[in-house]
Amino acid sequence: MRNYFQVRLFLIVIAVSFSAFSVAQPAPENDDNLPTDYLSKDFHAGRRAALREIMPNNSVMVVLAYPERTFSEDITYFYHQNPDMYYFTGYKEPHSLLLVFKENQISSSGESFNEILFVQERNPQREQWDGRRLGTDGVNEKLGFKTVMNGKDFKDFVIDFSKFDKIILNQLPADVKKNRYEKADLFSLIQQFKEKSAMPEQMTKQNKFDYRLYQDLTAQLREIKTPEEINLLRKAIEISCYGQNEVMKTVRPDMSELEIQGLHEYVHKRYGAEGVGYGSIIGSGENGCILHYMENTKTKIGTSMLLMDVGAEYHGYTADVTRTIPVDGKFSKEEKAIYQLVYDAQEAAFKTLKDGSKWMDATNAARNVIADGLIKLGIITNKNEVSKYYPHGLGHHIGLDVHDRGFYENLKKDMVITIEPGIYIPEGSKCDKKWWSIAVRIEDDLLITQNGYELLSHFAPRKIEDIEKIIAQKSVLDNYKLPPLKSGQKKGF
């Protein structure tokens, strides 16, 4: 009898498993009510063509998807694609590999190709759990790839890497683990690539596998934004500015840093931004002196200065906008002096910007204004001390990465950069105590033009009087009230 029930139970398990496998289907694919302003497949094809033009003769570029990362136990973070993979393909899924060839190649079947993308295979059961996959047909139709194969086919794909003078690739991630659900996962693709290319364990004393060239070629392309990219950046930046504005209108001393972060990010999502391009920095008082403060745990911001460095990410492109405001609505004498100094430094840098100008000229212009101003205020005694209170660079490229790839010697038309001078005076600094815990950063996003620049982040006020004026306004969020928590005796905020 016991054996009978064991066999019957075994058959039930098999039947249920087979049934689950056979009926599992992803939700129907439907493009209705999806965003219509993603980068086009022509954009991605154009980027691959531009890459091919600057690659050296007899070379191949290898681009791998980013690994999935563990958030908790068997839960992964929301997947973020390698920006290079997205830039060249538009493909957003993990476990993928792109090969771009300088010259046309001939397949074993006699067909000519100069690029090939290996992607995740369609799998109804996994798609029911993890979301839809494009598969080879979807990549062909929606992304415009003529030569696309399932990742599992890379193992038997015939390619002689030894014939290339250059194999251009980024450093391979060293901590990729085997995925138990995928036969052709990123781990397998990396191992198979290493075997096929006879990649040495030590990369010294060889010049065939070229990491530096990968960085240079991608920087050369990505530092100059196309019209499609500029359009997405404009939206990300405008959205970020509206988040700043609404917080300025609704800010109160009894708010927490976390609540203010939530208000910013709610506005972002209300306008269709999928997320943020980096951890939101909401630093009140002394916390503003920490450049990359992201804990945002202060339960009451009080009446001190509030530094908010927040950037919406819209369809992969991220803004980077910082505003510093007086929570009580009015700058004190000391706060006003420091803020005006940072504003003047930013304006001095702006005046140097145009196609062909030197990045160092903008850097020096801002630094000299801050150094002279701090000496005048008695905070430092000579210019060599300026780095104590202005410890970072002037800015950076933005795009698919918040610190986007690019060069910094000369500025060029259609670069999009930040200009972000700042002054941070932590408690205990060797200056008058009246300056302690004042932190000011003003960060704006700019498009370099032929004869100057366009201030893309003009939607959020920068001048002292304009900031005080907007703080006095009412916000649509003022009446957003939630009931108090009933669980526990201590309030969260």
Side-chain angles (χ1 to χ4, degrees), residues 218-229:
T218 52
Q220 186 176 336
L221 293 174
R222 285 175 55 183
E223 70 175 0
I224 306 297
K225 271 47 180 192
T226 68
E228 281 188 84
E229 291 179 286

PDB file of all heavy atoms in Angstrom, residues 218-229:
ATOM      1  N   THR A 218      34.591  53.724 -27.552  1.00  0.00           N
ATOM      2  CA  THR A 218      33.251  53.992 -27.033  1.00  0.00           C
ATOM      3  C   THR A 218      33.145  55.422 -26.499  1.00  0.00           C
ATOM      4  O   THR A 218      32.099  56.067 -26.636  1.00  0.00           O
ATOM      5  CB  THR A 218      32.864  52.981 -25.943  1.00  0.00           C
ATOM      6  OG1 THR A 218      33.902  52.939 -24.946  1.00  0.00           O
ATOM      7  CG2 THR A 218      32.674  51.597 -26.527  1.00  0.00           C
ATOM      8  N   ALA A 219      34.219  55.939 -25.913  1.00  0.00           N
ATOM      9  CA  ALA A 219      34.208  57.328 -25.440  1.00  0.00           C
ATOM     10  C   ALA A 219      34.112  58.300 -26.608  1.00  0.00           C
ATOM     11  O   ALA A 219      33.394  59.304 -26.547  1.00  0.00           O
ATOM     12  CB  ALA A 219      35.466  57.619 -24.620  1.00  0.00           C
ATOM     13  N   GLN A 220      34.820  57.997 -27.675  1.00  0.00           N
ATOM     14  CA  GLN A 220      34.800  58.855 -28.864  1.00  0.00           C
ATOM     15  C   GLN A 220      33.393  58.977 -29.440  1.00  0.00           C
ATOM     16  O   GLN A 220      32.985  60.048 -29.899  1.00  0.00           O
ATOM     17  CB  GLN A 220      35.758  58.287 -29.918  1.00  0.00           C
ATOM     18  CG  GLN A 220      35.937  59.162 -31.142  1.00  0.00           C
ATOM     19  CD  GLN A 220      36.969  58.590 -32.102  1.00  0.00           C
ATOM     20  OE1 GLN A 220      37.848  57.820 -31.706  1.00  0.00           O
ATOM     21  NE2 GLN A 220      36.867  58.952 -33.371  1.00  0.00           N
ATOM     22  N   LEU A 221      32.639  57.893 -29.383  1.00  0.00           N
ATOM     23  CA  LEU A 221      31.270  57.908 -29.897  1.00  0.00           C
ATOM     24  C   LEU A 221      30.296  58.502 -28.890  1.00  0.00           C
ATOM     25  O   LEU A 221      29.489  59.380 -29.221  1.00  0.00           O
ATOM     26  CB  LEU A 221      30.836  56.487 -30.266  1.00  0.00           C
ATOM     27  CG  LEU A 221      31.560  55.836 -31.434  1.00  0.00           C
ATOM     28  CD1 LEU A 221      31.118  54.387 -31.579  1.00  0.00           C
ATOM     29  CD2 LEU A 221      31.313  56.594 -32.731  1.00  0.00           C
ATOM     30  N   ARG A 222      30.366  58.054 -27.663  1.00  0.00           N
ATOM     31  CA  ARG A 222      29.335  58.410 -26.690  1.00  0.00           C
ATOM     32  C   ARG A 222      29.457  59.836 -26.158  1.00  0.00           C
ATOM     33  O   ARG A 222      28.490  60.389 -25.634  1.00  0.00           O
ATOM     34  CB  ARG A 222      29.346  57.408 -25.527  1.00  0.00           C
ATOM     35  CG  ARG A 222      28.735  56.061 -25.908  1.00  0.00           C
ATOM     36  CD  ARG A 222      28.852  55.021 -24.814  1.00  0.00           C
ATOM     37  NE  ARG A 222      28.294  55.480 -23.551  1.00  0.00           N
ATOM     38  CZ  ARG A 222      28.332  54.774 -22.421  1.00  0.00           C
ATOM     39  NH1 ARG A 222      28.886  53.564 -22.418  1.00  0.00           N
ATOM     40  NH2 ARG A 222      27.802  55.254 -21.306  1.00  0.00           N
ATOM     41  N   GLU A 223      30.629  60.465 -26.293  1.00  0.00           N
ATOM     42  CA  GLU A 223      30.755  61.825 -25.782  1.00  0.00           C
ATOM     43  C   GLU A 223      29.993  62.843 -26.635  1.00  0.00           C
ATOM     44  O   GLU A 223      29.616  63.906 -26.145  1.00  0.00           O
ATOM     45  CB  GLU A 223      32.232  62.226 -25.691  1.00  0.00           C
ATOM     46  CG  GLU A 223      32.919  62.437 -27.036  1.00  0.00           C
ATOM     47  CD  GLU A 223      34.336  62.949 -26.909  1.00  0.00           C
ATOM     48  OE1 GLU A 223      34.803  63.156 -25.768  1.00  0.00           O
ATOM     49  OE2 GLU A 223      34.991  63.155 -27.946  1.00  0.00           O
ATOM     50  N   ILE A 224      29.754  62.535 -27.904  1.00  0.00           N
ATOM     51  CA  ILE A 224      28.992  63.413 -28.782  1.00  0.00           C
ATOM     52  C   ILE A 224      27.584  62.841 -28.913  1.00  0.00           C
ATOM     53  O   ILE A 224      27.401  61.734 -29.400  1.00  0.00           O
ATOM     54  CB  ILE A 224      29.634  63.533 -30.174  1.00  0.00           C
ATOM     55  CG1 ILE A 224      31.098  63.960 -30.047  1.00  0.00           C
ATOM     56  CG2 ILE A 224      28.842  64.506 -31.039  1.00  0.00           C
ATOM     57  CD1 ILE A 224      31.298  65.323 -29.435  1.00  0.00           C
ATOM     58  N   LYS A 225      26.584  63.613 -28.481  1.00  0.00           N
ATOM     59  CA  LYS A 225      25.222  63.106 -28.478  1.00  0.00           C
ATOM     60  C   LYS A 225      24.532  63.390 -29.805  1.00  0.00           C
ATOM     61  O   LYS A 225      24.684  64.464 -30.393  1.00  0.00           O
ATOM     62  CB  LYS A 225      24.417  63.764 -27.344  1.00  0.00           C
ATOM     63  CG  LYS A 225      24.462  63.047 -26.008  1.00  0.00           C
ATOM     64  CD  LYS A 225      25.814  62.621 -25.563  1.00  0.00           C
ATOM     65  CE  LYS A 225      25.796  61.902 -24.214  1.00  0.00           C
ATOM     66  NZ  LYS A 225      27.157  61.756 -23.684  1.00  0.00           N
ATOM     67  N   THR A 226      23.773  62.403 -30.277  1.00  0.00           N
ATOM     68  CA  THR A 226      22.969  62.562 -31.486  1.00  0.00           C
ATOM     69  C   THR A 226      21.676  63.306 -31.136  1.00  0.00           C
ATOM     70  O   THR A 226      21.321  63.429 -29.961  1.00  0.00           O
ATOM     71  CB  THR A 226      22.604  61.194 -32.076  1.00  0.00           C
ATOM     72  OG1 THR A 226      21.691  60.540 -31.184  1.00  0.00           O
ATOM     73  CG2 THR A 226      23.846  60.323 -32.270  1.00  0.00           C
ATOM     74  N   PRO A 227      20.938  63.796 -32.125  1.00  0.00           N
ATOM     75  CA  PRO A 227      19.669  64.467 -31.828  1.00  0.00           C
ATOM     76  C   PRO A 227      18.700  63.613 -31.011  1.00  0.00           C
ATOM     77  O   PRO A 227      18.011  64.127 -30.124  1.00  0.00           O
ATOM     78  CB  PRO A 227      19.112  64.789 -33.217  1.00  0.00           C
ATOM     79  CG  PRO A 227      20.328  64.962 -34.075  1.00  0.00           C
ATOM     80  CD  PRO A 227      21.302  63.943 -33.560  1.00  0.00           C
ATOM     81  N   GLU A 228      18.646  62.302 -31.291  1.00  0.00           N
ATOM     82  CA  GLU A 228      17.750  61.431 -30.522  1.00  0.00           C
ATOM     83  C   GLU A 228      18.156  61.374 -29.049  1.00  0.00           C
ATOM     84  O   GLU A 228      17.317  61.403 -28.156  1.00  0.00           O
ATOM     85  CB  GLU A 228      17.752  60.014 -31.106  1.00  0.00           C
ATOM     86  CG  GLU A 228      16.901  59.843 -32.351  1.00  0.00           C
ATOM     87  CD  GLU A 228      16.788  58.386 -32.760  1.00  0.00           C
ATOM     88  OE1 GLU A 228      15.921  57.691 -32.209  1.00  0.00           O
ATOM     89  OE2 GLU A 228      17.560  57.955 -33.631  1.00  0.00           O
ATOM     90  N   GLU A 229      19.462  61.304 -28.808  1.00  0.00           N
ATOM     91  CA  GLU A 229      19.949  61.257 -27.426  1.00  0.00           C
ATOM     92  C   GLU A 229      19.688  62.578 -26.711  1.00  0.00           C
ATOM     93  O   GLU A 229      19.294  62.597 -25.536  1.00  0.00           O
ATOM     94  CB  GLU A 229      21.446  60.954 -27.415  1.00  0.00           C
ATOM     95  CG  GLU A 229      21.809  59.551 -27.866  1.00  0.00           C
ATOM     96  CD  GLU A 229      23.308  59.332 -27.850  1.00  0.00           C
ATOM     97  OE1 GLU A 229      24.005  59.860 -28.742  1.00  0.00           O
ATOM     98  OE2 GLU A 229      23.784  58.649 -26.928  1.00  0.00           O
TER      99      GLU A 229
END
